[in-house]
Amino acid sequence: MDRFSWTNSRTELNETYVIEQRGVRLYDGDEKAKLNVGTAFLTTHRLIWGDIKYEDSCLAFPLSQIIFIEEQAGGLGKSAKIVIHLHPAPENKEPGPYNSSKYSYIKLSFKEHGQIEFYRRLTEEMTLKRWENTPISKPISTGTGSQGGRTRAVGIVGIERKIEEKRKELDKNISEAFEDLSQLMVKAKEMVELSRSIANKIKDKQGDITEDETVRFKSYLLSMGIANPVTRETHGSGTHYHLQLSKQLGDMLQAPLEERGGMMALTEVYCLVNRARGMELLSPEDLVNACKMFESLKLPLRLRVFDSGVMVVQLQSHSEEEMIASALDNVSEKGSLTAEEFAKLLGLSVLLSKERLLLAEKMGHLCRDDSVEGLRFYPNLF
Amino acid sequence: TMRRGVGTGAIAKKKRAEMSKQLETFKSHLEEFASKHKQEIRKNPQFRVQFQEMCATIGVDPLASGKGFWSEMLGVGDFYYELGVQIIEVCLALKHRNGGLITLDELHQRVLKGRGKYAQEVSQDDLVRAIKKLKVMGNGFGMIPVGGSYLVQSVPAELNMDHTVVLQLAEKKGYVTVSEIKESLNWQKERASHVLDHLLKEGLAWLDSQAAGEAQYWLPALFSELSSRDVSPEEASQMTP
């Protein structure tokens, strides 16, 4: 911030306004400058900043002071910024708001947006360097010309050069990887096209293809990550892999399900199983496809989807009637219950407790009182 | 001339043999690629983005199955599936506080923290892709665009356009009032109240009726990031960039 000098907001002869943007706050390095939010003006020669209230006391520095600029994206609660790296202030600089600064860069923070256009114009002016062609009448301390101040600013420029070199080297490694990746993708695309032509043949000759061949085709699709073009369903259902997986899950989930009242949300199962495996993890789709096979494999588990869309794995032994009866009993005993309270009673997750209460409600055993205090269930006495 | 009499079995068999062969060839190409660039994928989030986008373009989903070649040979699968686990766990741990809504920023920070210093870098793009995969398990995972980034939803609460637009309005300060909604969105009071009541019921908003002037509806998903930096709600409302 010590690069700025006081000025009024009027342009000099030969100087033209390029763009202005309201709602800009200045930063000295990473620290907010002790100034209000103001307006940033870009001219052909200078960057000017002013607080609307104080027209005659604006701040400015010449564009020639700029080494390079960067964009800093905004985020939630954070405005986008432009970071401006500057040469050190020349000795004959006119006085400004700061006498010294530990930073060699400032930031413009755009609280009312406009950073994209401002950045574009600033980049343009820095490329055009119009200030060199038309020096303005009032002697503004340019300090560093395009060649002049370089020796003084060697430190900054040296660092900048290193960054550039590193970026180039990274680019080189990346471009080789991208090359290879592109070639790989060309081959993968051939596989996709081949699978489509096979799928078309299968579709046309429905019934003439053996079960075995269909299964084998499906496992090709699975290996390549291609969606099944015939049925459009998520690939993999009906492959040997998912068959094995289904049986494994049948064994593995028995005890955890018992511990949790016979029901677990699918996301819970996902975490449990993958944490246990440690590597060669299951994809969410693998899990869903394996669970879909419980019934056909006559395993004592079922995949169930509630009206809300929540998916659970359920022990077959824990029947619907039991769950509803238990919900009704508990609610009757306590007079009324919320999902949270029910969850505490049974040691279940709130999500699943809620589903049970909703189920009992659906069957007509409970009724609800829905207020801002929460959703509470009562026995249905009608 | 040879068409009649040539059974479908023969054609299918020929095609099948061709596919088998192609698959083996492709597998070895992928192995070669993996041996040279597996590290690149592990370490470089930008490269991962490129990889994913190229796969999408040709119609391939490298994350569909842990049994897929991509997963097995490049290790992309484990990376994203594990991330999925971490995302689920963070969301579950905070649900009692934010009702199942969290900013992508906060989720990112907490996941990184949970992974520890020596783990691979994880970008927000990685999180978004992992979340997209989680959707298939039906727990209401979704993303709501808000203020240049996203809110990640991890409960099956129904949020329609009205709810979303109020969330977006609340983004700047972490809270919103009925008057602000009426002014900014030109709604009737009833519509604003209806939306706010729903958010309260779902545990996504908290009511500060003691606030000077008018009742304020706070979204813990939005201000928990601020409060973790020890900023009071008053300071938060004069929020800096």
Side-chain angles (χ1 to χ4, degrees), chain A residues 32 76 180 225 235 275 283 286, chain B residues 37 61 64-66 89 103 240:
Chain A
K32 257 192 279 176
L76 204 63
D180 290 348
H235 34 280
R275 284 246 175 251
S283 76
D286 286 336
Chain B
H37 303 298
D61 181 1
S65 173
E89 289 177 346
T103 61
T240 60

Side-chain angles (χ1 to χ4, degrees), chain A residues 25 27 32 75-79 81 109 111 173-174 176-178 180-182 184-185 187-192 194-198 201 205 208-209 213 216-217 220 222-227 235 241-242 265-267 270-271 274-275 278-288 308-311 350-351 354 370-372, chain B residues 8-9 11-13 15-16 18-20 22-23 26 29-30 33 36-37 40 44 46-47 50-51 54-55 58-70 78 80-82 84-86 88-89 95 103 105 133-134 136-139 141 146-147 149-151 156 171-172 197 200-202 222 225 229 238-241:
Chain A
R25 187 194 282 285
Y27 278 67
K32 257 192 279 176
L76 204 63
K78 284 186 238 163
S79 308
K81 298 180 181 60
S109 175
K111 299 197 71 181
N173 289 342
I174 303 276
E176 194 196 318
F178 282 165
D180 290 348
L181 182 65
S182 307
L184 186 70
M185 288 297 164
K187 299 189 176 79
K189 185 147 194 251
E190 287 168 14
M191 300 296 297
V192 174
L194 180 59
S195 75
R196 284 206 187 119
S197 78
I198 294 180
K201 292 209 157 44
K205 282 125 178 113
D208 283 9
I209 303 293
E213 280 167 353
R216 201 174 302 213
F217 179 56
Y220 291 154
L222 185 69
S223 301
M224 285 299 302
I226 301 171
H235 34 280
Y241 172 61
H242 291 99
L266 204 55
T267 44
Y270 177 78
C271 292
N274 275 339
R275 284 246 175 251
M279 41 184 268
E280 288 181 13
L281 305 180
L282 303 183
S283 76
E285 272 154 278
D286 286 336
L287 184 60
V288 171
S308 61
V310 170
M311 293 168 85
V350 175
L351 187 76
K354 189 170 177 189
D370 206 352
S371 71
V372 293
Chain B
T8 55
I11 295 177
K13 205 172 189 179
K15 274 280 180 204
R16 213 219 308 147
E18 190 186 339
M19 180 138 197
S20 226
Q22 293 267 51
L23 208 68
F26 181 78
H29 280 132
L30 186 55
F33 179 84
K36 284 166 77 180
H37 303 298
E40 205 62 56
N44 189 337
Q46 260 311 310
F47 193 58
Q50 280 296 321
F51 169 73
M54 281 185 170
C55 285
I58 63 171
V60 156
D61 181 1
L63 299 182
S65 173
K67 201 75 177 111
F69 285 160
W70 309 97
D78 278 8
Y80 285 98
Y81 307 148
E82 188 187 10
V85 171
Q86 292 162 345
I88 292 170
E89 289 177 346
K95 194 168 78 162
T103 61
D105 271 349
K133 280 289 151 199
L134 294 178
V136 78
M137 293 192 291
N139 245 58
F141 269 94
V146 150
S149 180
Y150 293 98
L151 281 175
E171 184 262 327
K172 263 217 144 62
D197 280 351
L200 281 177
K201 275 188 211 162
E202 294 291 345
L222 297 174
E225 193 183 44
R229 291 192 235 136
Q238 297 152 33
M239 256 268 290
T240 60

Side-chain angles (χ1 to χ4, degrees), chain A residues 104-210:
Chain A
S104 65
Y105 60 97
I106 62 154
K107 295 190 197 183
L108 305 179
S109 175
F110 290 80
K111 299 197 71 181
E112 291 178 31
H113 301 291
Q115 74 282 359
I116 297 176
E117 192 56 25
F118 205 97
Y119 182 85
R120 190 176 77 75
R121 299 305 208 108
L122 183 54
T123 311
E124 204 170 70
E125 290 308 314
M126 282 173 63
T127 314
L128 294 173
K129 290 191 177 18
R130 289 193 268 184
W131 65 83
E132 285 184 0
N133 303 330
T134 55
I136 42 188
S137 58
K138 192 164 173 186
I140 301 281
S141 47
T142 52
T144 60
S146 37
Q147 292 298 340
R150 283 289 153 120
T151 44
R152 287 187 66 195
V154 132
I156 298 165
V157 171
I159 291 168
E160 193 203 341
R161 198 179 297 139
K162 268 216 176 80
I163 294 172
E164 192 52 39
E165 276 173 16
K166 195 152 192 181
R167 203 179 301 168
K168 282 203 186 120
E169 197 192 306
L170 213 68
D171 282 346
K172 188 168 152 288
N173 289 342
I174 303 276
S175 44
E176 194 196 318
F178 282 165
E179 260 300 311
D180 290 348
L181 182 65
S182 307
Q183 286 181 18
L184 186 70
M185 288 297 164
V186 167
K187 299 189 176 79
K189 185 147 194 251
E190 287 168 14
M191 300 296 297
V192 174
E193 276 156 10
L194 180 59
S195 75
R196 284 206 187 119
S197 78
I198 294 180
N200 283 332
K201 292 209 157 44
I202 290 179
K203 216 179 350 172
D204 291 342
K205 282 125 178 113
Q206 208 79 28
D208 283 9
I209 303 293
T210 67

